[in-house]
Amino acid sequence: NGFTWEFIVDSDIECFLICKFTLQPLLENCVLHGLVPSSGIMSIQVLIQYEQKDETIIITIVDNGRGIAPSRLVEIQKAMEEKRMDERYYGICNVNVRLSLLTNGKSRIRLESTPNEGTKVIIKIPQML
């Protein structure tokens, strides 16, 4: 049935840089793994904000897709905590490892998901001017 998307971006953030291919693999995951052919239209929202007190860029990607099973979610979170590449979760692990290397371990990715309700990815990156 397709999907809709929405980008909400703080106006103050336009001059900041983020690592190439940070969003693409995560948005691709929303579509490839979250889209449920038999359900209604999938919604993807990307919110990009600047947090002045920490000088951090916060990117939140939310979908209303299939969600991730709790056991699989734990496996993904463990791979991300250990900053290792896991071919089963290549997209998110790749983004996590690259951001960690580029920010000297100061970036964070948090993954939340509920089966049949959707997934939320929250990325915190120190500003790179």
Side-chain angles (χ1 to χ4, degrees):
N1 294 328
F3 60 91
T4 63
W5 67 90
E6 176 182 25
F7 279 83
I8 302 169
V9 182
D10 278 356
S11 59
D12 297 341
I13 206 162
E14 293 176 1
C15 61
F16 295 111
L17 301 174
I18 64 169
C19 179
K20 290 181 183 181
F21 297 110
T22 297
L23 296 178
Q24 184 272 333
L26 303 175
L27 292 171
E28 186 177 302
N29 281 350
C30 290
V31 176
L32 289 176
H33 303 294
L35 195 61
V36 181
S38 61
S39 69
I41 294 175
M42 177 182 218
S43 171
I44 300 171
Q45 183 183 61
V46 179
L47 175 63
I48 305 174
Q49 302 168 292
Y50 179 65
E51 190 174 277
Q52 282 187 317
K53 69 176 183 162
D54 295 337
E55 295 186 338
T56 303
I57 297 169
I58 302 171
I59 303 170
T60 306
I61 302 169
V62 181
D63 71 49
N64 66 341
R66 181 179 323 205
I68 303 169
S71 60
R72 189 174 179 106
L73 183 60
V74 168
E75 290 174 5
I76 297 168
Q77 290 169 332
K78 184 175 181 185
M80 289 194 314
E81 276 179 33
E82 295 172 357
K83 307 270 192 267
R84 66 179 162 86
M85 291 298 301
D86 188 318
E87 64 185 41
R88 296 171 297 169
Y89 318 116
Y90 184 79
I92 195 163
C93 286
N94 183 334
V95 171
N96 187 52
V97 168
R98 284 187 303 109
L99 288 177
S100 183
L101 288 171
L102 287 170
T103 64
N104 294 320
K106 294 178 184 172
S107 64
R108 298 281 176 260
I109 297 181
R110 191 170 82 225
L111 183 62
E112 302 171 0
S113 189
T114 303
N116 303 313
E117 290 184 21
T119 301
K120 179 189 285 188
V121 179
I122 302 165
I123 307 164
K124 290 189 176 189
I125 311 167
Q127 76 174 18
M128 296 183 276
L129 295 174

